[in-house]
Amino acid sequence: MRRFSMIFAIAAVAIQAFSANVTVSPKISDVTVYLSGATIESSVSATIPSGVSYVTLTDLPTMVSEESIQLAGIGDFTIMNVSFQLSNAQTHKVDSLTKLQLELIDRATNLSNEKDVYNQSITMLDANKEIKGTTSNLNTVELDKFLKYYQAELLKLKTKIFETDKELAIVKNTLAQVNSELSVYKRAQKKGEVVVGVSSKKEQKITLELSYFITNASWTPYYEVRVADVNKDMEVTYKAKVFQASGYDWNNVNITLSTGDPTLNGTAPVLSKWLLRENHVTYRKSYAVVKNAVAYDAIQENEEEMAAVEMPVKKAAGITTTTNAKMTSIEFAIQEKFSIKSSQNDATLTVNKYSLPADYVYRCVPKLDKHAYLVAKATDFSKYNFLSGDATLYLGGKYVGTSYLNISQTTDTLQFSLGQDNGIVIERTLSDEFNKKSSVGKNYKQSVSWTITARNNKSNNIQIEIQDNMPVSSMSSVVVSNESFEGATRNDANIVTWKYDLKPSETKTMKLSYTVTYPKIMSLDLK
């Protein structure tokens, strides 16, 4: 059986070698970008001869997931087989540049050695000059002869060093250019190719449609949240940052953004019988044995198909985005064509614009910060298909900061803090007449009272929430009593909240008081 397999393999290679070969570069038309990865769709036309031939679809990314490759053909022909390979089309250029690189390195080394020899010769010549000057009784003629010899030799050596430096500079510059060109060819040396074996009864022009998945692409959602006025809806621009490092630019293509992630395991876990068995752990120093019961689980694979359904979504005028909801993901089809370069900064796409009805309330925690913060709250946000992501906030056309849209929260209300508003004045002061500390046996009994005021200096009515907290005892020796927070509600965390509608120039006053009894040996911060 193995012998016949080898024969068939050799025959296939032989057929390919003697068959006509056509090489074409498909053009990318559509890209579906996932949270991790992307599916690329492209097509190309080719003229094939009668009989068996091979069409090579070249200029593809090297990181193609082979099992994701899908191919369809238009024409009267048969697709016999499809395979993926990495090409080495630039090998001869790399080889020639590598050879030149080594030659230049050798030449640079030789020139450096020659320069060293010249410098050593000058050193020896100078040393000989010193010897002649100190140990010989030279007459004028001999001295003049020696000086001329010294000058001639020194000039000759200096000239050689100068010429060597000039050539060495040229060699190094050329070597730098070769290194740069070589690195470019090495990066571009390998490219993906899909080889398609076809059979046709006649010569004809065919169309091949190719689809494949790559991992080095992604998109990240982010938002621009704009509030023109507290009496108007909150405008949310849903945007996406798209990145791709396929090695090829996506020029004027249709982009679809999907909330799916094909890189994640799509198989739902299935529990099996839980068997308890002993696990012996031996410690070398004490030679003691510890017995533990461990559980063994098994996971059974299970696949689920996705079916597309239409989902109407309210969107602002002028945005051309089609939203399709699938069983496990949402797709946003951007109607405008985009170009995204490989391995450069993220491309920014607008997914949609929404006008969200919102309630606006000022919120203040004067115990921590006396500023009032405007908070926008929008309900029923699930129909907008948002994902968690960063948000840039604008109030009245001005940038006020950033926030994070957390879709994983369990409430059905989105909240954004839109920054401080100095038109709301909050004060929190101790009421001296109610703050007392007395000694009762082994204990102190301390009463604390706070006065909180809120004034609306704005020209419009506002809603405001002011929060404070009551102390909670964590031990039986400490007792909290005489709690008072008139007009406020208290939650399980002992946080009290006052809610008011304040008219322009209106002021509200709130009181908060409590008494704590605790042992004298303790030191408690009750303010």
Side-chain angles (χ1 to χ4, degrees), residues 455-462 502-507:
R455 179 177 175 81
N456 179 15
N457 287 334
K458 299 177 68 65
S459 60
N460 55 288
N461 295 343
I462 65 165
L502 289 183
K503 298 177 182 178
S505 301
E506 183 179 5
T507 300

Side-chain angles (χ1 to χ4, degrees), residues 436-440 443-447 482 515-518:
K436 300 177 181 179
K437 184 177 181 180
S438 59
S439 177
V440 182
N443 296 328
Y444 284 125
K445 188 174 183 180
Q446 184 171 351
S447 297
N482 299 329
T515 299
V516 180
T517 303
Y518 59 95

Side-chain angles (χ1 to χ4, degrees), residues 373-418:
Y373 291 80
L374 179 62
V375 177
K377 298 190 289 187
T379 59
D380 194 23
F381 63 87
S382 59
K383 64 182 179 181
Y384 300 108
N385 303 312
F386 292 150
L387 297 176
S388 295
D390 294 329
T392 305
L393 308 178
Y394 298 88
L395 178 60
K398 295 182 179 179
Y399 169 78
V400 295
T402 60
S403 184
Y404 185 77
L405 192 153
N406 185 11
I407 300 301
S408 61
Q409 61 187 1
T410 56
T411 65
D412 62 351
T413 302
L414 281 180
Q415 298 191 31
F416 292 102
S417 178
L418 299 174

Side-chain angles (χ1 to χ4, degrees), residues 352-365:
N352 224 324
K353 288 185 178 181
Y354 300 98
S355 181
L356 277 66
D359 295 323
Y360 300 95
V361 61
Y362 287 92
R363 186 172 292 163
C364 180
V365 184

